[in-house]
Amino acid sequence: MDQAELRQMEDETSPMMKTIKGATSGLVAGTIWGTIVATWHDVPRVERRIAIPGLIRTLKMMGNYGMTFAAVGGVYIGVDQVMQKYRMKRDFVNGAVGGFVAGASVLGYKGRSISSAISAGAALAVTSAVIDAGGQTTRIDNGKEYYPYSLKKRPNVES
């Protein structure tokens, strides 16, 4: 598929569906990250009368990280779509505003201070702006197709 077909497919998806996809992706990524973080922390000793304390602690951590990432992803994509609709432009400013709002609202709420809200919002805004200003792709289409195998025959070299 070329870039025009990909853009058309992306434009057919509703803003609400994009927001749900962003939140779901955040939930999955956050749950995986929560699992990794849980393995880094000391798991309490298992005692006789306590039912599976390590698993309970891991599940709580997975849920905490999963919900945080889901909230950031949902707010980011939602604000990005609202900005795109009202500005009628599709550029890096939409993502920067979405990143700032997501960082300031979700991570600022968790940090419980204005300074953490501003710094988290600024960090996500700058990151989003840099990525979006880069061209939304990491590859340059030069018209060539690359295959995982060669189409040319190699000369048979005998030693």
Side-chain angles (χ1 to χ4, degrees), residues 42-60:
D42 294 331
V43 178
R45 285 186 313 166
V46 178
E47 297 179 14
R48 285 188 179 177
R49 303 197 190 265
I50 301 175
I52 316 172
L55 179 62
I56 293 169
R57 182 174 176 192
T58 300
L59 291 175
K60 284 181 182 178

Side-chain angles (χ1 to χ4, degrees), residues 1-19 21-22 76-77 80-81 84-85 89-92 94-95 132 135-137:
M1 289 188 178
D2 62 346
Q3 282 288 31
E5 289 176 359
L6 289 174
R7 285 222 187 254
Q8 183 180 7
M9 284 178 55
E10 185 177 320
D11 289 340
E12 290 174 0
T13 307
S14 71
M16 181 60 78
M17 193 58 163
K18 287 181 183 179
T19 304
K21 286 179 182 179
Y76 172 78
I77 297 294
D80 181 57
Q81 292 300 305
Q84 182 177 337
K85 180 180 179 182
K89 290 183 181 179
R90 190 173 177 181
D91 58 3
F92 73 95
N94 299 341
D132 286 346
Q136 298 183 1
T137 183

Side-chain angles (χ1 to χ4, degrees), residues 77-134:
I77 297 294
V79 172
D80 181 57
Q81 292 300 305
V82 167
M83 290 292 295
Q84 182 177 337
K85 180 180 179 182
Y86 286 110
R87 291 182 67 230
M88 294 186 190
K89 290 183 181 179
R90 190 173 177 181
D91 58 3
F92 73 95
V93 175
N94 299 341
V97 173
F100 184 81
V101 171
S105 61
V106 176
L107 300 176
Y109 174 75
K110 286 186 70 90
R112 300 191 190 277
S113 73
I114 299 293
S115 64
S116 69
I118 291 172
S119 61
L124 285 178
V126 167
T127 303
S128 176
V130 166
I131 290 171
D132 286 346

